[in-house]
Amino acid sequence: MGQEPSEVLAVRVGVADGRLVLISEDANLDVERASNGRFGSTPESMFDSWDEFVDWANGVDIDEEPAPLEKLENPVPCARQVFGVGANYRDHIEESGAEVPTAPLIFTKFPSCLVGPQDEIPLPSRKVDWEVELVVVIGRRAEHIDDGDAWRFIAGFTVGQDISERVLQFAGPFPQFSLSKSFPGFGPLGPMLVTVDEFEDANDLELGCALDTIVKQESRTSNLLFGVPELVSRLSATCILLPGDLIFTGTPAGVGAFRSPRQFLQPGQTLTSWVRGIGELRNPIVAGPKYVAKQF
Ligand code: ZN
């Protein structure tokens, strides 16, 4: 099954021990060392010249100097803009009782909330909810991009959790999305960035999450109301998208707030989140510094 030399192959990249690594089945390859310094040790150096990086990564023999797999960290710690999309799966809109939006509902997750695939999520209250999401990573500066051209501006995908504190979110007369989704630890990301070439159909990926052993959400990204190319197109019509920027594309049905009875995260639980073909987050839930065990 030889690949044409000009064909772009999938690249899987992450951060381990603070350094950018190429990832294969059983090894990490330190990017700075393997490239003799052509690329640096941080993801910024990869995003500075994404096309060159992908070309280089496809030509590297990953067996040349394998290093043991270290614990993977947040693969995109350099994100400057983090967009979130609310109400973007039909079944989630249904469970929430909201009307179907005619344009994407956009908020931000402030980047200080981003953490790695195995980091703890500290609870600020007893009303913290899960939202598994496919996360788009921008690879090139994008401004006024058409839907049909959008994939060229995408570096790849990773898995994310749009952790949400529901009291702050719905406390006032208007929803408070950005703040309620930006507490420390509220943006677990990883375990790696995978280029879109990896997927047979990049518009139809299976995703889900489980609390301990109980599956809470299961869906496919083909159920997105506004799909990935349209989100890039619509966002880039307003904001200049920068390499390393993230788009949390929305969550399917099965969050805790719309269950009967309602369910929320509790200290001691483990939240597992996945997108098939990318990998899995496993985040322990812990009590945050202001957490009150019995509020009611
Ligand atoms: Zn969300």
Side-chain angles (χ1 to χ4, degrees):
M1 301 295 130
Q3 298 280 359
E4 294 296 319
S6 59
E7 190 172 341
V8 176
L9 305 176
V11 171
R12 304 171 82 82
V13 63
V15 172
D17 208 11
R19 297 181 64 84
L20 187 64
V21 289
L22 272 180
I23 298 165
S24 72
E25 294 259 317
D26 54 2
N28 293 340
L29 188 69
D30 186 279
V31 168
E32 185 178 34
R33 289 187 207 115
S35 70
N36 292 317
R38 181 174 166 198
F39 303 100
S41 63
T42 63
E44 282 95 326
S45 64
M46 165 181 74
F47 288 120
D48 281 347
S49 43
W50 174 253
D51 294 327
E52 289 85 346
F53 178 81
V54 171
D55 278 350
W56 170 80
N58 277 317
V60 167
D61 181 353
I62 203 153
D63 295 329
E64 268 180 13
E65 42 176 297
L69 272 173
E70 302 279 349
K71 180 182 162 193
L72 290 169
E73 298 155 17
N74 173 4
V76 196
C78 53
R80 285 170 282 190
Q81 304 184 95
V82 183
F83 300 92
V85 187
N88 202 24
Y89 281 83
R90 288 176 184 84
D91 54 0
H92 179 55
I93 297 164
E94 252 169 55
E95 72 174 352
S96 72
E99 285 186 29
V100 176
T102 52
L105 171 60
I106 304 299
F107 56 90
T108 189
K109 286 176 81 71
F110 296 104
S112 59
C113 77
L114 299 175
V115 292
Q118 296 177 52
D119 287 337
E120 291 180 342
I121 300 172
L123 301 181
S125 82
R126 287 162 56 89
K127 296 286 174 67
V128 179
D129 208 344
W130 54 85
E131 294 194 357
V132 67
E133 310 203 356
L134 176 74
V135 177
V136 172
V137 184
I138 298 297
R140 293 201 247 175
R141 182 187 162 99
E143 203 174 350
H144 299 292
I145 303 307
D146 293 334
D147 287 24
D149 212 17
W151 289 112
R152 290 201 307 119
F153 294 83
I154 295 170
F157 293 142
T158 191
V159 185
Q161 263 286 347
D162 178 20
I163 302 291
S164 304
E165 204 286 326
R166 301 300 191 195
V167 176
L168 179 57
Q169 184 175 346
F170 296 113
F174 299 101
Q176 184 72 271
F177 288 109
S178 300
L179 274 184
S180 62
K181 293 163 174 278
S182 292
F183 285 89
F186 272 29
L189 212 59
M192 61 192 76
L193 161 63
V194 181
T195 54
V196 291
D197 316 84
E198 174 97 351
F199 307 98
E200 208 168 284
D201 182 354
N203 289 304
D204 184 29
L205 308 181
E206 186 188 331
L207 79 168
C209 77
L211 202 46
D212 294 329
T213 56
I214 314 285
V215 172
K216 297 294 184 185
Q217 294 183 281
E218 258 185 328
S219 190
R220 307 189 71 89
T221 58
S222 46
N223 295 322
L224 281 167
L225 189 61
F226 300 99
V228 169
E230 189 172 2
L231 289 174
V232 169
S233 168
R234 284 178 176 256
L235 285 171
S236 74
T238 302
C239 296
I240 300 168
L241 306 184
L242 303 168
D245 281 357
L246 304 173
I247 307 171
F248 282 69
T249 55
T251 202
V255 301
F258 300 128
R259 288 170 179 267
S260 183
R262 293 174 170 201
Q263 295 173 14
F264 296 104
L265 298 170
Q266 291 176 35
Q269 295 176 323
T270 298
L271 180 61
T272 306
S273 318
W274 61 86
V275 176
R276 201 72 65 203
I278 299 175
E280 184 175 277
L281 316 175
R282 283 183 63 81
N283 298 102
I285 309 301
V286 300
K290 303 280 190 189
Y291 183 81
V292 180
K294 287 201 170 137
Q295 264 166 233
F296 306 100

